[in-house]
Amino acid sequence: MVLVSFQGERGAYSEAAAEKFFEKCTTLPLGTFADALDAAADGRAEYAILPVENSLEGSIGASYDLLHHTMLRVTGEIYHRIEHCLIGSGSLENTDTIYSHPQALGQCRKFIEQHNMKTIPTYDTAGSVKIVKGLDNNCASIASQKASAIYGVPIITRNIADNPNNHTRFLILAQSESSSTGSDKTSIIFSIRHEPGSLYRILAAFNESGINLTKIESRPTKTNAWEYNFYVDFEGHKDDPQIQKVLEQIERETTFIKVLGSYPAAG
Amino acid sequence: MVLVSFQGERGAYSEAAAEKFFEKCTTLPLGTFADALDAAADGRAEYAILPVENSLEGSIGASYDLLHHTMLRVTGEIYHRIEHCLIGSGSLENTDTIYSHPQALGQCRKFIEQHNMKTIPTYDTAGSVKIVKGLDNNCASIASQKASAIYGVPIITRNIADNPNNHTRFLILAQSESSSTGSDKTSIIFSIRHEPGSLYRILAAFNESGINLTKIESRPTKTNAWEYNFYVDFEGHKDDPQIQKVLEQIERETTFIKVLGSYPAAG
């Protein structure tokens, strides 16, 4: 059975996504995204799973920054529905303080405001269930149904998020590459020269080859203020001759380019 | 003297940026970004100041989401250097717990790890100085030099951020518009049809007119999973005939377009 590292405590959404992707796997909970990637890079785990984007909150900047530096390859993707539950030992009426990850607190803002609850940010959704287990029953947490089951703290209210359209996209990373399946995506990172039209000429190369971009994201380079790395996903496998030709073409327009990997496109 | 609303407690970086932009102004501290914009929309303040991007952390998603809905116009921009200080009543040696906004904690990660300190996330940098004032002197906060002066809590160590290249870009919003100065920027938001090449054709229109894009950012629409709004800044004023022509051209490619405003480009 494969071993998959993830950030968070047992019961985290990342763990559930890993179990859905691999069907059969064991999981290794670690403290940070960087720890999860390190475990796959040094062989303690065969795969790492990393959340990269949420349908409500947008891209997870810290994950994109790690992709820039990792030696691992992206070998898969999965979309996982996030269903936030209010979890605690008290009733809805006597709950006045909520512990959870800031992103989960943000996604349940209306529910929290309606019930006039105080929020306390924590490092992890599942970890917040562990925290409230030791507190008075006016304290509750926001996490998954699975975290409620693992830590034995009851669900007070299900589906408390403002917007039910709440999905997270996860990437699967490993030391090896995925071969072409005929329905693949490729993820790349590049920086461009500070010249008018640089980004346009790169998009033009994709457009002329009929390659469909599925995502474009810019992140500061951190070395030079207001210079950006672009994170682009497109349809096709990096071993396709047509994709190779476009990658060669855009290399001329970039100051840095890294192919993160090609992998079967999810649903 | 103009009145400018901002999110945060007195001594926040937003307040310092407002005071630099207007030279002479009074400021109105409010609890959330939405409150700050509301104050300018309902006439309690003449202007609101909103942080939109940091040179290390990237775009501030919550601010972009508010720009999508606001009736206010963008009338100015300013770049402000962020200099994080460790502020508390104890010495560096006996400080073991740090309170601050998660973004400030993230920007001082190396310093915090080196000194093996515990972190507690708060809603605001300046607010964290207020919090530690009432606590034991093993607790300190990360905030600006000004917040130290306002709340009378000493600076333990200056410039504790991992990377000194730490600037935040703020937008100034008001009910009225800025007229053309000859050196302006324009900010727009648009959504595109789910067709290959839509984004490419929009960038092509800018490129053919020789208009330089200074920023492109995508954010989930929240209504349909994995559909995006694009936030684009470019050089020029929306009243320039050439800009008007391009805006008409790209309107055909978009399902939604909003001109946030034109304003003098900062430095």
Side-chain angles (χ1 to χ4, degrees):
Chain A
M1 200 139 58
V2 297
L3 180 63
V4 187
S5 57
F6 70 97
Q7 182 276 324
E9 299 273 353
R10 296 223 169 270
Y13 293 106
S14 294
E15 188 184 38
E19 287 168 349
K20 196 164 78 177
F21 184 85
F22 287 101
E23 290 175 27
K24 286 210 161 188
C25 68
T26 50
T27 52
L28 176 64
L30 289 166
T32 66
F33 292 152
D35 292 343
L37 295 193
D38 285 350
D42 67 21
R44 275 175 295 147
E46 280 157 277
Y47 296 94
I49 189 162
L50 186 71
V52 289
E53 188 178 9
N54 176 271
S55 59
L56 297 179
E57 304 284 332
S59 292
I60 298 163
S63 293
Y64 278 97
D65 291 343
L66 286 169
L67 289 175
H68 191 270
H69 296 289
T70 187
M71 301 300 288
L72 296 171
R73 314 303 303 247
V74 180
T75 59
E77 64 167 354
I78 185 168
Y79 295 88
H80 183 68
R81 171 116 196 268
I82 306 298
E83 285 186 75
H84 291 310
C85 302
L86 184 69
I87 298 170
S89 307
S91 64
L92 182 56
E93 288 67 36
N94 67 13
T95 300
D96 60 12
T97 305
I98 306 196
Y99 291 70
S100 197
H101 189 278
Q103 202 169 59
L105 294 171
Q107 290 173 356
C108 302
R109 201 173 291 130
K110 283 182 198 158
F111 178 89
I112 293 167
E113 283 174 6
Q114 261 165 27
H115 295 88
N116 208 12
M117 292 161 169
K118 204 182 115 189
T119 59
I120 298 183
T122 62
Y123 59 103
D124 184 50
T125 54
S128 70
V129 182
K130 240 168 119 173
I131 292 171
V132 300
K133 205 177 174 172
L135 300 177
D136 290 341
N137 70 5
N138 66 318
C139 297
S141 53
I142 296 174
S144 68
Q145 178 178 345
K146 200 181 164 195
S148 152
I150 288 175
Y151 300 106
V153 183
I155 292 175
I156 301 171
T157 313
R158 281 173 196 276
N159 282 323
I160 62 167
D162 300 349
N163 190 327
N165 163 27
N166 189 351
H167 298 80
T168 296
R169 178 177 177 232
F170 293 86
L171 296 180
I172 317 296
L173 293 111
Q175 290 186 31
S176 57
E177 301 194 342
S178 284
S179 45
S180 178
T181 66
S183 173
D184 300 289
K185 267 190 197 171
T186 298
S187 295
I188 63 172
I189 310 176
F190 58 82
S191 324
I192 53 178
R193 286 194 211 96
H194 250 312
E195 283 172 17
S198 283
L199 180 61
Y200 160 75
R201 285 191 295 273
I202 287 171
L203 295 190
F206 282 107
N207 191 61
E208 281 155 21
S209 308
I211 297 167
N212 200 16
L213 303 190
T214 56
K215 160 99 184 157
I216 177 165
E217 175 77 27
S218 57
R219 295 273 308 150
T221 61
K222 305 204 177 201
T223 41
N224 298 310
W226 319 113
E227 278 188 24
Y228 298 92
N229 290 315
F230 289 88
Y231 293 75
V232 168
D233 295 342
F234 56 86
E235 291 172 0
H237 194 285
K238 68 182 177 57
D239 296 341
D240 300 350
Q242 193 200 17
I243 303 284
Q244 287 190 331
K245 205 179 129 209
V246 172
L247 289 175
E248 279 163 29
Q249 244 178 305
I250 68 172
E251 207 167 333
R252 278 172 243 143
E253 295 289 341
T254 59
T255 55
F256 164 84
I257 182 163
K258 176 178 176 179
V259 179
L260 289 166
S262 298
Y263 46 89
Chain B
M1 200 142 55
V2 297
L3 181 63
V4 188
S5 57
F6 70 97
Q7 183 275 326
E9 300 272 355
R10 294 221 171 272
Y13 293 107
S14 293
E15 188 185 38
E19 287 168 349
K20 195 163 77 177
F21 185 85
F22 287 102
E23 290 177 25
K24 284 211 161 186
C25 68
T26 50
T27 52
L28 176 64
L30 290 165
T32 65
F33 291 153
D35 292 343
L37 294 193
D38 285 350
D42 68 21
R44 275 175 295 148
E46 282 157 274
Y47 296 94
I49 190 162
L50 186 72
V52 289
E53 189 179 7
N54 176 271
S55 58
L56 298 178
E57 304 284 332
S59 291
I60 299 164
S63 293
Y64 278 99
D65 290 344
L66 287 168
L67 288 175
H68 191 270
H69 296 290
T70 188
M71 301 298 290
L72 295 171
R73 315 303 302 250
V74 180
T75 60
E77 64 166 355
I78 185 168
Y79 295 88
H80 183 69
R81 171 116 197 266
I82 305 298
E83 284 187 74
H84 291 309
C85 301
L86 184 70
I87 298 170
S89 308
S91 65
L92 181 57
E93 288 66 38
N94 67 14
T95 299
D96 60 13
T97 305
I98 306 196
Y99 290 68
S100 197
H101 189 279
Q103 202 169 58
L105 293 171
Q107 290 173 356
C108 302
R109 200 172 294 131
K110 282 183 200 158
F111 178 88
I112 293 167
E113 283 174 7
Q114 261 165 25
H115 295 88
N116 208 11
M117 292 162 171
K118 204 181 113 189
T119 59
I120 298 183
T122 61
Y123 60 102
D124 184 51
T125 53
S128 70
V129 182
K130 240 168 119 173
I131 292 171
V132 300
K133 204 177 173 172
L135 300 176
D136 289 340
N137 70 5
N138 66 318
C139 296
S141 53
I142 296 174
S144 67
Q145 178 177 346
K146 200 181 164 195
S148 151
I150 288 175
Y151 300 106
V153 183
I155 292 175
I156 301 172
T157 313
R158 281 172 196 276
N159 284 323
I160 61 167
D162 299 349
N163 190 327
N165 163 27
N166 188 351
H167 297 80
T168 296
R169 178 178 178 230
F170 293 86
L171 296 180
I172 317 296
L173 294 110
Q175 291 186 29
S176 57
E177 300 194 342
S178 285
S179 46
S180 176
T181 66
S183 172
D184 299 289
K185 267 191 197 171
T186 298
S187 294
I188 63 173
I189 309 176
F190 59 81
S191 322
I192 53 179
R193 287 195 211 94
H194 250 311
E195 284 171 17
S198 283
L199 179 62
Y200 160 75
R201 285 191 294 273
I202 287 171
L203 295 191
F206 282 107
N207 191 62
E208 281 155 20
S209 308
I211 297 168
N212 200 16
L213 303 190
T214 56
K215 160 99 183 157
I216 177 165
E217 175 76 27
S218 57
R219 295 274 306 150
T221 61
K222 305 206 176 202
T223 42
N224 298 309
W226 319 114
E227 278 186 25
Y228 298 91
N229 291 316
F230 289 89
Y231 293 76
V232 168
D233 296 341
F234 56 85
E235 291 172 359
H237 194 283
K238 69 183 177 55
D239 296 341
D240 300 350
Q242 193 200 17
I243 302 286
Q244 287 190 331
K245 206 179 128 211
V246 173
L247 289 175
E248 280 163 27
Q249 245 178 303
I250 68 173
E251 209 167 331
R252 279 173 242 143
E253 295 289 340
T254 60
T255 55
F256 164 84
I257 182 163
K258 176 179 178 179
V259 179
L260 288 166
S262 297
Y263 46 89

